[in-house]
């Protein structure tokens, strides 16, 4: 029986990188809500007293980007000057250009449509080349790896106890981390939990640690998964007053592992937030998750990783790979054949079938893009599992 440990981390919505992700996706939501054909590649950077929104946007709708940014900052909780960063006094600089016409040539009409070999689903070409991964496993009911699932729930709970007033001395920034012990590939126990939370200067550290243990860790983690050897670290440096963009600069796309599977499964390298769904970095990663989740939900494997790759301006993927890590009930190549028969992975079909031309993105920009059943996004559905079963079992 092989024993090993795996660790994943999450951050709260007040973390400077996540603040930037939320602003970028709030801009995208506003544009796509009013013009479904908006082309958005929006990047955000933040530091003490400054937010920079930059990138390329082509849309029929005008968005008050400064107002959107300030609204997100306020909602997250940076609403006091004593935090060193707040929505009223920070500068918001906007540097936006239109999408490159060279990119638009391939996105607005795919190669297959140009040469006459395609149909209406080839109306959109991939917005870039690259490879994307999706992953699912049966460790949780959401079919997510347990370490990242727990880390996200801890972060979300940390924000809840702050915003609800249960722990009034907390501030918006924070991080969580969970180490799970596996025995023969199955989660056995929690080896370590780390919670670092920003707090007021006069907070008593002993009381804070007791409060976080009771109201966050014990509330989220099953007591049967922890034992006397579980290590718990709460604000291990002893002080975390300076945080957010004052304590560290923030940037979109810098939490791509926390956004996906916590390192449990590979990553193609492309970030999500601020990108409209013609960017396959985002939409194809969602589609790959959809495929992997349905494979596991169908009982075809305990673990499934899907890779899909594209060429810019071409609608059909250049490759598809399915890996079940020895847990498959049928050979991986047979699963891949069934996936090709059941799923249409061209960008226009992904956007239509998964409802990605709707303002769903800000909610996904924090606490992970996957395993978010509470958001009702289509790529978390398992509606294709029966079709896969009929073909393979």
């Amino acid at each position: 029986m092989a024993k090993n440990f795996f660790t994943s981390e999450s951050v709260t919505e007040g973390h400077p990188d996540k603040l930037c992700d939320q602003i970028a996706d709030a801009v995208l939501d506003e544009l796509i809500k009013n013009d479904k054909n908006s082309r958005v590649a929006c990047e955000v950077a933040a530091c003490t007293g400054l937010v920079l929104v930059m990138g390329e946007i082509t849309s029929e709708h005008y968005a008050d980007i400064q107002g959107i940014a300030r609204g997100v900052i306020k909602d997250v909780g940076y609403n006091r000057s004593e935090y060193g960063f707040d929505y009223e006094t920070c500068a918001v600089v906007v540097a936006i250009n239109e999408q490159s016409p060279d990119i638009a040539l391939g996105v607005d009409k795919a190669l297959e449509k140009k040469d006459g070999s395609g149909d209406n689903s080839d109306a959109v070409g991939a917005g870039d080349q690259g490879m994307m991964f999706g992953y699912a496993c049966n460790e949780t009911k959401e079919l997510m790896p347990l370490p990242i699932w727990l880390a996200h729930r801890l972060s979300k709970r940390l924000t809840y106890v702050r915003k609800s007033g249960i722990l009034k001395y907390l501030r918006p920034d924070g991080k969580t981390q969970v180490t799970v012990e596996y025995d023969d590939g199955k989660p056995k126990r929690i080896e370590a939990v780390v919670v670092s939370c920003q707090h007021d200067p006069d907070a008593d550290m002993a009381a804070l640690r007791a409060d976080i243990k009771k109201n966050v860790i014990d509330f989220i983690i099953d007591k049967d998964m922890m034992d006397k050897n579980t290590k718990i670290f709460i604000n291990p440096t002893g002080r975390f007053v300076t945080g957010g963009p004052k304590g560290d600069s923030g940037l979109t796309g810098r939490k791509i592992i926390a956004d996906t599977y916590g390192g449990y499964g590979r990553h193609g390298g492309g970030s999500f937030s601020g990108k409209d769904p013609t960017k396959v970095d985002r939409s194809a990663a969602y589609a790959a998750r959809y495929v992997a989740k349905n494979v596991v939900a169908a009982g075809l494997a305990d673990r499934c990783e899907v890779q899909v790759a594209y060429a810019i301006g071409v609608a059909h993927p250049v490759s598809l790979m399915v890996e079940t890590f020895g847990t498959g009930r049928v050979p991986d190549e047979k699963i891949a054949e069934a996936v090709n028969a059941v799923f249409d992975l061209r960008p226009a079909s992904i956007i239509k079938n998964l409802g990605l031309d709707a303002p769903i993105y800000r909610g996904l920009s924090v606490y992970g893009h996957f395993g978010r059943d509470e958001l009702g996004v289509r790529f978390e559905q398992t509606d294709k599992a029966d079709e896969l079963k009929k073909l393979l079992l």
Side-chain angles (χ1 to χ4, degrees):
M1 301 288 284
K3 182 171 78 171
N4 66 293
F5 300 92
F6 197 89
T7 301
S8 295
E9 73 157 356
S10 175
V11 299
T12 67
E13 61 193 50
H15 186 281
D17 293 334
K18 273 291 141 207
L19 181 68
C20 292
D21 285 340
Q22 290 170 90
I23 292 171
D25 274 339
V27 170
L28 173 61
D29 278 351
E30 171 64 20
L31 292 166
I32 210 167
K33 178 175 67 176
N34 294 280
D35 177 9
K36 291 186 176 184
N37 295 316
S38 295
R39 298 288 184 260
V40 183
C42 180
E43 306 284 352
V44 180
C47 61
T48 304
L50 175 65
V51 172
L52 173 61
V53 185
M54 53 192 161
E56 296 79 45
I57 293 175
T58 300
S59 179
E60 295 295 324
H61 177 69
Y62 168 78
D64 176 12
I65 292 176
Q66 284 201 6
I68 292 169
R70 294 188 192 279
V72 171
I73 296 165
K74 180 181 180 181
D75 182 58
V76 166
Y78 289 111
N79 52 18
R80 303 180 196 173
S81 59
E82 64 194 79
Y83 291 171
F85 181 88
D86 72 276
Y87 77 99
E88 290 184 302
T89 64
C90 72
V92 179
V93 178
V94 179
I96 297 291
N97 296 309
E98 289 191 347
Q99 183 187 60
S100 162
D102 294 344
I103 294 175
L105 281 173
V107 174
D108 295 339
K109 184 181 287 188
L111 178 66
E112 295 93 330
K113 193 73 171 176
K114 292 175 184 175
D115 66 17
S117 65
D119 56 29
N120 288 336
S121 291
D122 294 307
V124 176
D128 201 353
Q129 69 177 45
M131 68 285 189
M132 300 83 210
F133 288 92
Y135 183 84
C137 62
N138 59 9
E139 294 178 16
T140 67
K141 67 180 180 63
E142 294 84 1
L143 304 185
M144 286 289 287
L146 185 61
I148 190 64
W149 185 75
L150 287 175
H152 282 321
R153 292 190 70 206
L154 288 171
S155 288
K156 194 172 183 180
R157 177 68 181 175
L158 196 58
T159 296
Y160 176 79
V161 298
R162 171 178 62 88
K163 285 188 167 182
S164 66
I166 294 173
L167 301 180
K168 296 180 179 180
Y169 53 79
L170 291 183
R171 293 183 174 185
D173 202 352
K175 302 180 78 171
T176 64
Q177 183 173 286
V178 177
T179 301
V180 174
E181 179 183 330
Y182 287 81
D183 199 342
D184 199 29
K186 303 294 183 183
K188 181 180 179 183
R189 55 180 289 276
I190 304 300
E191 170 69 11
V193 179
V194 184
V195 177
S196 295
C197 50
Q198 188 187 13
H199 56 83
D200 289 342
D202 57 354
D204 179 79
M205 197 51 54
L208 179 148
R209 286 176 174 141
D211 286 344
I212 296 298
K213 175 70 165 58
K214 175 184 176 182
N215 293 285
V216 178
I217 296 174
D218 290 347
F219 190 88
I220 294 299
I221 298 181
D222 187 340
K223 65 180 181 179
D224 293 334
M225 290 292 288
M226 296 194 291
D227 55 36
K228 63 181 181 180
N229 295 316
T230 299
K231 306 178 206 53
I232 295 177
F233 301 96
I234 300 170
N235 282 29
T237 65
R239 180 179 171 88
F240 186 5
V241 173
T242 302
K246 183 182 179 182
D248 190 9
S249 62
L251 187 65
T252 45
R254 208 157 56 179
K255 287 291 177 283
I256 60 175
I257 298 303
D259 281 343
T260 51
Y261 310 101
Y264 215 115
R266 287 171 281 195
H267 197 295
S271 62
F272 299 156
S273 290
K275 296 178 181 178
D276 75 78
T278 66
K279 279 71 172 175
V280 284
D281 276 345
R282 181 169 220 163
S283 54
Y286 291 173
R289 161 66 177 172
Y290 180 50
V291 172
K293 189 171 184 180
N294 275 272
V295 168
V296 174
L300 300 175
D302 294 335
R303 299 169 57 199
C304 180
E305 183 179 75
V306 173
Q307 186 203 55
V308 60
Y310 293 85
I312 187 169
V314 180
H316 287 82
V318 298
S319 71
L320 173 77
M321 181 276 294
V322 173
E323 168 66 66
T324 61
F325 308 95
T327 70
R329 312 296 191 263
V330 295
D332 291 350
E333 59 269 25
K334 293 295 184 183
I335 298 176
E337 290 174 8
V339 166
N340 274 318
V342 171
F343 296 90
D344 188 342
L345 295 175
R346 292 174 291 178
S349 296
I350 291 172
I351 293 167
K352 178 183 177 181
N353 295 335
L354 299 184
L356 300 183
D357 57 354
I360 62 172
Y361 295 104
R362 185 183 167 191
L364 293 165
S365 63
V366 67
Y367 312 121
H369 291 248
F370 305 122
R372 304 294 302 281
D373 291 355
E374 77 277 12
L375 297 179
V377 290
R378 291 188 200 171
F379 56 82
E380 288 297 322
Q381 295 178 356
T382 55
D383 54 332
K384 299 293 186 180
D386 286 343
E387 285 186 66
L388 291 171
K389 282 182 185 178
K390 288 177 182 177
L391 289 174
L392 294 170
L393 296 179

